[in-house]
């Protein structure tokens, strides 16, 4: 290690390349997880959540295919939009039983690396409010899990 201190302009220039690498990684993870999720249809029957899996899988595939011709800010918008949508829907429909909270953490990690501090703080406030609202719904409003947890 040379001990060189990098300036913000040096680290900012690497962000588009890092985002493209993140998109490739997300694509392959999506291919694996959507395939595994849909393979459970034989055991669980068709659940409405599978529509979301297909939509997010196709969205990720589109981002992957057009990653070289799409501007950086548009790529970043969609890379953040998909986990925000998954997190929000997961927390509102499955509560802490689903993976919405984990997707919220994943979203904030992406935002910390690629977005401004102000945007990341606003996103954290939004996701925290969704979590609190979900906790209220499942605790005081009488919402229950939409599916049998043992089957899912």
């Amino acid at each position: 290690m040379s001990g060189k201190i990098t300036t913000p302009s040096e680290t900012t220039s690497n962000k588009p390349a890092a985002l493209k690498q993140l998109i490739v990684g997300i694509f392959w993870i999506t291919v694996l997880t959507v395939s595994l999720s849909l393979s459970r249809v034989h055991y669980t029957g068709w659940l409405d959540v599978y529509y979301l899996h297909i939509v997010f899988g196709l969205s990720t595939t589109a981002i992957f295919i057009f990653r070289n011709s799409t501007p950086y800010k548009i790529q970043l918008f969609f890379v953040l939009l998909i986990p925000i949508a998954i997190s929000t829907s997961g927390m509102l429909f499955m509560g802490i039983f689903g993976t919405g909270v984990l997707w919220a953490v994943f979203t904030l990690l992406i935002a910390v690396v690629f977005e401004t501090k102000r945007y990341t703080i606003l996103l954290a406030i939004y996701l925290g409010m969704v979590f609190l609202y979900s906790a209220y719904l499942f605790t005081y409003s009488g919402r229950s899990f939409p599916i049998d947890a043992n089957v899912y």
Side-chain angles (χ1 to χ4, degrees):
M1 280 188 100
S2 65
K4 181 182 174 191
I5 298 174
T6 58
T7 62
S9 62
E10 291 174 356
T11 57
T12 308
S13 64
N14 294 331
K15 287 184 178 183
L19 183 63
K20 286 184 182 181
Q21 290 176 347
L22 180 66
I23 290 171
V24 171
I26 289 172
F27 170 74
W28 288 113
I29 290 170
T30 301
V31 167
L32 176 68
T33 55
V34 169
S35 302
L36 289 173
S37 177
L38 294 178
S39 70
R40 298 183 302 173
V41 168
H42 299 293
Y43 302 108
T44 63
W46 186 262
L47 302 173
D48 289 338
V49 72
Y50 295 145
Y51 290 117
L52 284 175
H53 293 180
I54 291 171
V55 167
F56 292 133
L58 292 174
S59 301
T60 303
T61 302
I63 293 169
F64 174 75
I65 290 171
F66 298 111
R67 72 187 180 281
N68 292 324
S69 61
T70 308
Y72 170 77
K73 284 292 187 183
I74 294 174
Q75 288 177 1
L76 183 59
F77 173 76
F78 284 108
V79 164
L80 285 171
L81 179 68
I82 290 172
I84 288 170
I86 293 172
S87 175
T88 301
S89 63
M91 283 192 280
L92 291 179
F93 295 112
M94 298 294 286
I96 61 170
F97 176 71
T99 58
V101 177
L102 293 174
W103 277 98
V105 172
F106 176 65
T107 305
L108 290 173
L109 287 174
I110 293 173
V112 163
V113 173
F114 293 104
E115 275 293 347
T116 63
K117 189 184 296 186
R118 180 180 184 177
Y119 179 85
T120 304
I121 290 170
L122 289 173
L123 183 60
I125 290 169
Y126 165 76
L127 291 171
M129 288 174 37
V130 170
F131 177 77
L132 291 174
Y133 182 64
S134 172
Y136 170 78
L137 288 176
F138 282 92
T139 305
Y140 297 110
S141 183
R143 178 174 279 188
S144 61
F145 297 121
I147 59 171
D148 183 11
N150 294 323
V151 173
Y152 185 70

